[in-house]
Amino acid sequence: MTETATSPAPPARPRRSYAKLAADESREDYSLRYAPHAFRRWSPGAVAGTALGGIAYLADFAIGASIVFAYGFTSGAAAILAAAVVIFLTGIPIARACARYGLDMDLVTRGAGFGYFGSTLTSLIYASFTFIFFALEGSIMAQAMHQAFGLPVQAGYLLTTLIVIPVVFRGMGALAKVQAWTQPVWLIGLALPFLVLAFEAPDAWGAFTHFGGTDGAGSGFSWLGFGFGTGIALSLIAQIGEQADYLRFMPAETSANRRRRALAVLAAGPGWVVIGAAKQLGGAFLAFVALEAVGKTHALEPIAPQVEALRPWLGGFALPAAALFVIVSQIKINVTNAYSGSLSWSNFFSRVTHRHPGRVWYIFLNLAIALTLMELDMFAMLGKLLGFYSNVGIAWIAAVAADLVINKRLGLSPPAIEFKRAYLYAVNPAGFGAMLIASIVSILAFFGLFGIHAEAFSTFIAAGLALLLCPLIAWATGGKYYLARPNTVSGPDAHVEDITATHTCAECETAYELPDIADCPVRSGPVCSLCCSLDATCGDACRKVPGAGPVALPAPSVRPA
């Protein structure tokens, strides 16, 4: 009788362990994950207040002034208001989705038509938004410190970069405190210049409404001026991503908080642009009033118009008061820019390299790029830079909004947002293809390939194409590329009774709430979304091998009330 040799059992895979900073969620803030209900300990009002604190930036003042100076009051004001309407409407579904599912903008993008790797491009788009605007806000802060304290501008660039690191390092808890503590100073500083001018220059607003700009545009309406101005203002459309980074911590909806929560989501999500548009018009007004005294170049720098407006009441204290307001405003926004940038870079590199040393390390990458842009004097290229960025940013946001509003309502995409690698195709042509085509066509228009009118309205071309192509491609592909396999763990077919039920990840042996869990045939059990993302050896077996998934999972443990 011949004895049959048995194959040796495969060696056990070692438990994944994360670096100290990556494992500390008080610093990490679930940067690559679903934000669990156990972590959402803030009230709707606190989350909204923190999110709205991040829109204290004064780039709105500079953007509004540059638009009105270039195209006159009538065309400029129309452009600012039109951009605000577009941003508000596209922001509503995104804000609601982020708050409902506890996901940041990148994770929502994955499941809203872009796919797992398709959203890496949008991570770069979003990261560029954060460091471009960090550099812009840092330049404004450095200008204020130069005027008030004589600090060399280059040294100011470095200081404005370093000052945010301790706050951003500590995450959401520190951000919430900084925004709350600085809010009274910011509100007083924001309102005071307009209050002074209401008494000291009551006729200034009437004169402003007849302002024809500094470049000879005239005070009448111009379609070309309207188009170009709207393109610049729409560069702010990606701001919804920074709002989403806070909205994901919104507590779950209950019968007791339903109305307050809905109002908080609306205010902190798309509602930021109401204040933003008012700041753009207000900034243009202050610059107009200061134009004769300081000249065009300094009128576009928010510190100089602030000083000129405050001088009648504060005299020699106008400069330090204005500098305090500018510095507080820029700290409030740049902690948000640095924080959101660290999230975006984390998402990008985790997918590309299958490594995650921790969110906090990417703070330094984002700040290094921003500091370089400041040293290159990007403030001088404000209009062209933001106009170009608008074409890509709006194509991305419009494609996501189209999926959430059109595709899901028509049944062209799944009703829920799936963000985990285990259930997604690498690329979904519905959203990714729509954004890519819309971006390419609008950028060609922006550079004048289709004539001056198409150049002026290139951002409208980007938005229109993305809104049209996303549902069209989803329909043409039958929605095939949204889900690579059904999610029987926490998806709509799972009939989960308690969303806070937890499973212990078979890879890192840490318990996570059910929406963060995927069933893994390689590990023959549950894995958390981050371990799934970082696995470089599985070869996506769950999606490629017939019959590999789903697998049976052990019963979840339900967190006690």
Side-chain angles (χ1 to χ4, degrees):
M1 184 174 182
T2 305
E3 187 173 341
T4 304
T6 59
S7 300
R13 286 166 54 116
R15 171 183 177 271
R16 184 187 300 278
S17 61
Y18 290 103
K20 182 179 180 180
L21 289 175
D24 182 1
E25 292 299 351
S26 67
R27 302 285 186 269
E28 189 66 4
D29 275 355
Y30 296 88
S31 61
L32 302 178
R33 303 180 182 275
Y34 155 86
H37 289 280
F39 192 74
R40 302 185 213 176
R41 57 182 180 272
W42 297 275
S43 68
V47 175
T50 304
L52 288 174
I55 66 165
Y57 52 86
L58 298 184
D60 270 339
F61 281 44
I63 290 171
S66 67
I67 292 172
V68 173
F69 276 25
Y71 307 112
F73 172 81
T74 304
S75 299
I80 290 169
L81 295 177
V85 170
V86 173
I87 292 172
F88 188 87
L89 294 177
T90 55
I92 292 173
I94 293 172
R96 288 177 174 173
C98 292
R100 177 183 178 185
Y101 294 103
L103 305 176
D104 66 16
M105 189 68 201
D106 180 80
L107 300 186
V108 167
T109 300
R110 286 187 199 178
F114 282 73
Y116 183 72
F117 276 107
S119 62
T120 54
L121 178 59
T122 63
S123 291
L124 286 179
I125 295 170
Y126 184 31
S128 66
F129 174 86
T130 64
F131 62 66
I132 286 173
F133 277 89
F134 187 103
L136 180 57
E137 307 296 345
S139 297
I140 293 171
M141 184 173 171
Q143 292 161 4
M145 291 189 291
H146 174 67
Q147 284 194 237
F149 313 117
L151 185 71
V153 174
Q154 284 71 25
Y157 293 156
L158 181 61
L159 181 58
T160 193
T161 302
L162 296 177
I163 199 171
V164 303
I165 293 176
V167 177
V168 181
F169 191 89
R170 293 179 176 274
M172 176 65 178
L175 289 169
K177 291 177 182 177
V178 166
Q179 300 296 1
W181 292 344
T182 56
Q183 201 73 341
V185 175
W186 180 75
L187 288 172
I188 293 171
L190 179 67
L192 189 56
F194 299 99
L195 181 63
V196 174
L197 290 176
F199 284 94
E200 300 296 330
D203 299 328
W205 180 259
F208 177 53
T209 60
H210 294 90
F211 180 51
T214 58
D215 302 330
S219 59
F221 180 80
S222 163
W223 282 107
L224 288 178
F226 170 74
F228 282 120
T230 305
I232 296 172
L234 280 173
S235 63
L236 293 165
I237 196 167
Q239 177 65 31
I240 188 62
E242 295 197 344
Q243 306 306 113
D245 289 338
Y246 296 116
L247 287 171
R248 65 197 176 107
F249 298 123
M250 192 67 69
E253 180 181 295
T254 65
S255 57
N257 73 3
R258 181 175 292 114
R259 183 171 297 178
R260 287 184 291 110
R261 185 182 181 278
L263 182 60
V265 171
L266 187 66
W272 77 266
V273 79
V274 176
I275 302 173
K279 285 165 58 190
Q280 288 176 54
L281 291 171
F285 173 60
L286 293 180
F288 165 75
V289 173
L291 180 60
E292 186 175 346
V294 303
K296 177 182 175 181
T297 300
H298 290 300
L300 292 173
E301 300 172 357
I303 179 67
Q306 290 279 326
V307 173
E308 291 302 314
L310 295 175
R311 199 182 302 279
W313 283 11
L314 300 185
F317 291 101
L319 178 56
L324 175 63
F325 170 66
V326 171
I327 291 170
V328 168
S329 298
Q330 304 316 87
I331 290 175
K332 285 170 73 67
I333 179 55
N334 268 354
V335 293
T336 296
N337 282 328
Y339 177 73
S340 295
S342 70
L343 298 180
S344 187
W345 285 119
S346 296
N347 276 294
F348 174 77
F349 281 108
S350 68
R351 275 169 290 175
V352 173
T353 67
H354 294 288
R355 296 179 183 277
H356 182 57
R359 173 191 67 83
V360 297
W361 292 108
Y362 294 113
I363 297 171
F364 301 102
L365 171 63
N366 210 50
L367 296 184
I369 298 173
L371 180 59
T372 301
L373 289 177
M374 283 188 273
E375 296 291 351
L376 293 174
D377 193 21
M378 66 150 288
F379 193 83
M381 304 178 289
L382 178 64
K384 271 294 182 184
L385 180 65
L386 298 183
F388 172 80
Y389 181 84
S390 290
N391 293 280
V392 183
I394 196 170
W396 163 38
I397 298 298
V400 173
D403 181 82
L404 296 175
V405 175
I406 301 173
N407 294 8
K408 293 194 181 305
R409 292 191 179 185
L410 296 180
L412 299 174
S413 67
I417 295 175
E418 180 56 70
F419 69 96
K420 296 181 284 293
R421 172 191 179 188
Y423 305 107
L424 296 175
Y425 282 100
V427 176
N428 185 343
F432 182 79
M435 184 201 72
L436 197 62
I437 295 170
S439 296
I440 292 172
V441 173
S442 64
I443 289 172
L444 293 176
F446 176 78
F447 284 110
L449 188 65
F450 308 126
I452 187 65
H453 288 87
E455 180 182 351
F457 287 89
S458 62
T459 51
F460 288 88
I461 293 173
L465 282 176
L467 287 171
L468 175 66
L469 289 175
C470 183
L472 187 61
I473 296 173
W475 171 77
T477 58
K480 173 184 175 182
Y481 296 97
Y482 279 90
L483 292 177
R485 64 179 178 124
N487 181 351
T488 59
V489 178
S490 58
D493 299 326
H495 304 295
V496 178
E497 294 182 3
D498 189 343
I499 204 69
T500 64
T502 61
H503 279 293
T504 298
C505 174
E507 188 77 14
C508 66
E509 298 180 4
T510 304
Y512 292 99
E513 288 183 4
L514 212 52
D516 201 50
I517 289 293
D519 53 326
C520 177
V522 175
R523 294 294 278 175
S524 300
V527 293
C528 68
S529 62
L530 183 53
C531 284
C532 182
S533 290
L534 300 183
D535 197 326
T537 62
C538 69
D540 293 319
C542 59
R543 292 190 270 126
K544 293 180 178 179
V545 180
V551 299
L553 299 185
S557 58
V558 180
R559 182 181 292 106

